[in-house]
Structures are given as structure tokens and as C-alpha cells.
Amino acid sequence: MENLALIESFSEFKDDKLIDRVTLMAILEDVFRNALKKKYGSDDNFDIIINPDKGDMEIWRNRVVVADGEVEDSNSQISLSEARKIEPDFEVGEDVSEEVKLIDLGRRAILALRQNLISKIHEHDNTNLYKQFKDIIGEIYTAEVHHVRPKVVILVDDDGNEIVLPKEKQIPSDFFRKGDNVKGIIESVELKGNKPQIVMSRTSEKFLEKLFEQEIPEVFDGLIMIKKVVRIPGEKAKVAVDSYDDRIDPVGACVGMKGSRIHGIVRELGNENIDVINFTSNPSLLISRALSPAKVSSIKLDEARKSAEVFLKLEEVSKAIGRGGQNIKLASLLTGYELDVIREGSATEDDDVELTEFSDEIDGWIIDEFAKIGLDTAKSILKQDVADLARRTDLEEETILEVMRILKEEFED
């Protein structure tokens, strides 16, 4: 009963840790064997008998009887006179098994045992936690805000597990208070020392893909496939979808009547604008669809360089490029092609001048900055707002004003 009482005192916190009795007894055996090694130098001649049902265990020390005065190793040998104190009929050469009471290990050793046991149980918990979350990387998970810090939000799930949501993994418009429920995907699990750090992300393309699976039954059932997702978190996203069933309209099914199906996803992502397009293996057609809502006139592909010249009417250029160049950037990421917008000329624009004609007065890198947003003629720039151009390019307002001055002089002359 001494052993049982001590073991129960060691394991009084097992219910809080949700460790089953069999696992606990296995951990106990490991802890006690380490203690035996420290006290006796070896645990090879000890038998530890575990009874998980009762939560009890026995420790037996096995030694060989030798003649008095011939004991060379007190851990594995016992003198005849000492053996006969246990049983009077022992003879030299026989095996003696003697039960070791935990209390015999000494008070200090018992305290060390308890501390070692706590450490082993924490190690067991951390290993299980690591495996548990490693298995759900890339899956949606929900946890509650426990603490908000400048660079990270600390979340806690229903089991009390801590999850971190770094600032860079948050959507720019995210704002959390203590007690809020937060949804994201488990992006990574890393061991920091012996403790696993579980990282959540709301900016990953995988999060948007999993939201489609969660909200749209045809995607969940595999009737509609998500071919590719690209995002500027909180701003805009493009999702290419396909279906092997010709009876299913994948875009219509994902968007729903009047946007009913996709509305919940948009709201979850801080009103991120989501374009859903039909996937195709035809690169020209895919590029054309990816540049929606712009209407493309024609496309010239360069497969070797993985680039494409996209020809558009003047009124379609700004649509293709989008606010801050977001639309063309995402279209490029979705299709895998570097896209160059080429503006088609028109009769009313015959007196316009290509920006490259001003290369003797305007630096080449400045011309390139305007070209990146589809502005490659003098009049196309003069029609723009200075503040808007500064926001859409890497140019200072002072530089833009100087360019406009040069271009105006051309037409005044």
C-alpha cells in the first residue's frame, strides 16, 4: 500500500492532463528506472511490475547469493548471511528477489521523482499536441482571443491549447478583442524548445480555398475543383475553378444567386473582392479571363519567356490594371505569365505621343514606372490625377508634376 499511496500522490494531477492510467504507469516506470540507475548504478537486475487497473506497481531487486566476504557488487550480489535474514534456507548461488519500497529511496529521491514525473508528463503532452496539430496543418481552425499584443494575437482553443496569430498573418482590416472567435488555418507547428508553437494564418491562399470547401457544397463534394487561388489579403483575390461535369457551372455555383454563396466568404475576409473565373488549359483564354472585368482585344504569347502582350482599347486599360495595379498583378500570378498591357490606338488619339519619345528629357526608369500601370503615352498621363499616380507608382508627386510640365509643353508647342 505504501507504493500505491505514493503513486497516487505523484499522479494527483493526471485528470487535469487527461492522461490515461496505462500511459501514466508507463511514464512512472521510466521515471523509477532512472531513479534506480542513479541510486544503484544500474536497473538491469530490477523488475518493475505494473498493474494499471489498480494503479499500483511493485519494484523487485534480484541478487545472487555469494559466500560472506565475497561480495564484489552489492547491487547484483548479496552475502549468504544477509540472504538468510530474508529466508533462512537460502544457499550460495541461489537468486534472491527483494521488494524495494519507494520510501526506501529516500525523501530527496522521492521529491526528485515527482519533479521528473511532472517533466515527463509535460513532455508527453507536448509530443501529443505537436502530433495533433501537425496532422491538421492546412485545415480551418477556430479559437478564442485570449490576449492582443502589437505584433501577435494569442488565441486559446476549447482544450486550452495556445495558438499564435502573428500580425503579418492577419488581414490588414482585422481588429480583435478579448473573447472574439477567430477563424484561420493552421499554417505551421514548430517546436520551440520542448513546447510546440502553433501558428494560425488568415492571409494564406489555402485559407480562402478551405473557406470555399466549407461554404460551397459542390467544392466540398469534389464536383468543383479549385485549380488556383491568388490573393492580396483584404483587398482582392482571384480563384480559378473547374468541373468535370458539363452540367455544372462552376463559377455560378461558387458565386450563388446574387452572390449569396460567396458573400459569407467575402465578409470573413474583411470584404476582400473575389473574382471567380473558369479555368482553362488555353493560356490566352485564361489570361483573358484573369484580366476580367477588362475586355481583351488580342494577346501575343511568348512561351519561352512566359510573358504575354495584352492588347486593349484605351477605355479597357484602367480596368485591366485595376486599383494600384492589383488586377494585373493577380492575373499574372494566376496565369503564371508576365503581362504587358499594350494600348490600342484610335482615330481621336492620332495626335498623342509615345512616352518613349521623351527619353531625352524623362529618365527611363520613370517611363518604366508609368508603363507598369499601362500609361505609355503623353495624353494618357495628362488625364490622370497627380495624387492617384503617386499612389499607384513609386514616384514622388514632385517628379510626376515635372513630367506633366514637360508633356504639356509638347502640346502647347
Side-chain angles (χ1 to χ4, degrees):
M1 288 300 292
E2 289 177 351
N3 281 7
L4 179 60
L6 274 170
I7 290 166
E8 286 299 330
S9 76
F10 288 155
S11 58
E12 61 194 14
F13 49 84
K14 71 179 187 317
D15 292 334
D16 294 334
K17 294 292 181 181
L18 300 175
I19 296 177
D20 61 89
R21 190 176 286 275
V22 173
T23 302
L24 179 65
M25 299 305 286
I27 292 173
L28 277 168
E29 179 177 356
D30 185 48
V31 168
F32 288 136
R33 285 201 174 277
N34 286 333
L36 293 171
K37 286 176 186 176
K38 285 184 180 179
K39 185 172 179 64
Y40 300 106
S42 171
D43 67 328
D44 292 343
N45 59 309
F46 287 86
D47 291 328
I48 298 181
I49 302 170
I50 296 177
N51 187 339
D53 296 330
K54 293 183 179 179
D56 194 10
M57 64 188 296
E58 298 174 358
I59 301 174
W60 292 87
R61 185 185 188 189
N62 304 309
R63 291 186 286 180
V64 178
V65 179
V66 297
D68 290 350
E70 293 185 9
V71 175
E72 296 177 358
D73 178 8
S74 60
N75 184 37
S76 60
Q77 297 174 329
I78 184 173
S79 67
L80 181 60
S81 56
E82 287 296 316
R84 285 180 172 170
K85 290 178 182 177
I86 300 170
E87 289 288 345
D89 54 353
F90 272 127
E91 296 294 341
V92 172
E94 292 185 325
D95 293 328
V96 176
S97 292
E98 185 179 10
E99 187 174 6
V100 177
K101 299 294 185 182
L102 296 185
I103 200 71
D104 295 339
L105 296 177
R107 189 173 188 82
R108 183 175 296 178
I110 289 173
L111 289 173
L113 276 168
R114 183 183 178 87
Q115 189 58 45
N116 197 11
L117 177 63
I118 293 170
S119 175
K120 289 282 186 183
I121 287 177
H122 285 161
E123 186 179 313
H124 172 269
D125 286 347
N126 289 336
T127 300
N128 281 356
L129 190 62
Y130 179 82
K131 289 178 180 176
Q132 174 191 337
F133 280 92
K134 200 76 174 173
D135 289 342
I136 59 169
I137 285 178
E139 297 296 330
I140 284 183
Y141 204 78
T142 302
E144 185 178 294
V145 175
H146 184 263
H147 193 70
V148 179
R149 295 175 183 163
K151 293 185 177 180
V152 68
V153 173
I154 308 299
L155 310 169
V156 176
D157 67 9
D158 292 340
D159 295 325
N161 300 314
E162 187 178 284
I163 299 161
V164 297
L165 177 60
K167 187 71 176 177
E168 64 271 18
K169 305 293 183 185
Q170 299 170 30
I171 296 169
S173 60
D174 280 345
F175 178 77
F176 302 116
R177 292 188 178 91
K178 184 178 174 65
D180 287 348
N181 282 325
V182 179
K183 185 183 290 184
I185 63 155
I186 301 300
E187 186 173 71
S188 65
V189 185
E190 302 170 0
L191 282 173
K192 299 290 185 180
N194 288 328
K195 187 176 181 182
Q197 183 183 70
I198 305 157
V199 179
M200 179 183 279
S201 173
R202 286 173 50 78
T203 58
S204 168
E205 284 81 6
K206 194 73 176 177
F207 182 40
L208 178 50
E209 183 180 334
K210 287 295 179 179
L211 285 173
F212 265 70
E213 285 185 16
Q214 192 176 75
E215 299 293 330
I216 300 162
E218 290 88 343
V219 176
F220 180 81
D221 293 336
L223 297 173
I224 295 174
M225 290 78 67
I226 305 291
K227 302 297 285 188
K228 192 164 185 181
V229 176
V230 291
R231 295 177 67 191
I232 299 172
E235 295 288 340
K236 190 173 180 66
K238 287 184 182 287
V239 182
V241 296
D242 198 8
S243 175
Y244 294 125
D245 191 335
D246 293 337
R247 296 170 298 177
I248 295 176
D249 169 18
V251 172
C254 289
V255 174
M257 187 73 69
K258 295 183 179 180
S260 58
R261 284 185 161 186
I262 207 166
H263 180 67
I265 300 173
V266 170
R267 189 172 60 247
E268 176 64 46
L269 300 180
N271 292 323
E272 192 169 304
N273 188 319
I274 303 173
D275 290 343
V276 185
I277 67 168
N278 275 313
F279 176 80
T280 173
S281 56
N282 181 326
S284 293
L285 183 54
L286 184 63
I287 290 168
S288 181
R289 290 173 179 175
L291 284 169
S292 174
K295 293 180 181 178
V296 176
S297 299
S298 61
I299 295 171
K300 182 180 178 182
L301 291 177
D302 184 339
E303 289 290 357
R305 295 175 54 201
K306 272 290 183 179
S307 64
E309 291 182 340
V310 183
F311 295 86
L312 303 115
K313 291 181 179 177
L314 181 61
E315 62 270 21
E316 299 297 323
V317 170
S318 59
K319 297 177 188 176
I321 292 166
R323 184 164 61 90
Q326 290 177 355
N327 198 58
I328 195 166
K329 179 182 177 181
L330 289 174
S332 181
L333 290 171
L334 187 76
T335 60
Y337 282 79
E338 184 180 336
L339 305 179
D340 293 323
V341 170
I342 308 295
R343 175 191 141 278
E344 292 182 322
S346 62
T348 58
E349 300 294 330
D350 283 345
D351 60 344
D352 203 350
V353 182
E354 294 289 331
L355 202 57
T356 52
E357 296 293 323
F358 297 88
S359 57
D360 57 336
E361 296 179 83
I362 303 172
D363 289 341
W365 70 271
I366 295 175
I367 293 173
D368 290 341
E369 278 297 310
F370 286 117
K372 285 179 184 176
I373 60 170
L375 304 177
D376 55 4
T377 68
K379 286 189 175 180
S380 67
I381 292 173
L382 290 172
K383 289 178 181 179
Q384 304 296 319
D385 177 73
V386 174
D388 186 54
L389 284 176
R391 181 178 58 78
R392 292 167 61 192
T393 66
D394 286 333
L395 300 173
E396 300 288 340
E397 286 193 10
E398 185 179 345
T399 303
I400 296 168
L401 286 168
E402 176 60 18
V403 169
M404 286 187 164
R405 182 191 66 76
I406 295 168
L407 301 180
K408 283 177 182 176
E409 286 181 355
E410 169 70 18
F411 291 106
E412 287 171 1
D413 292 344

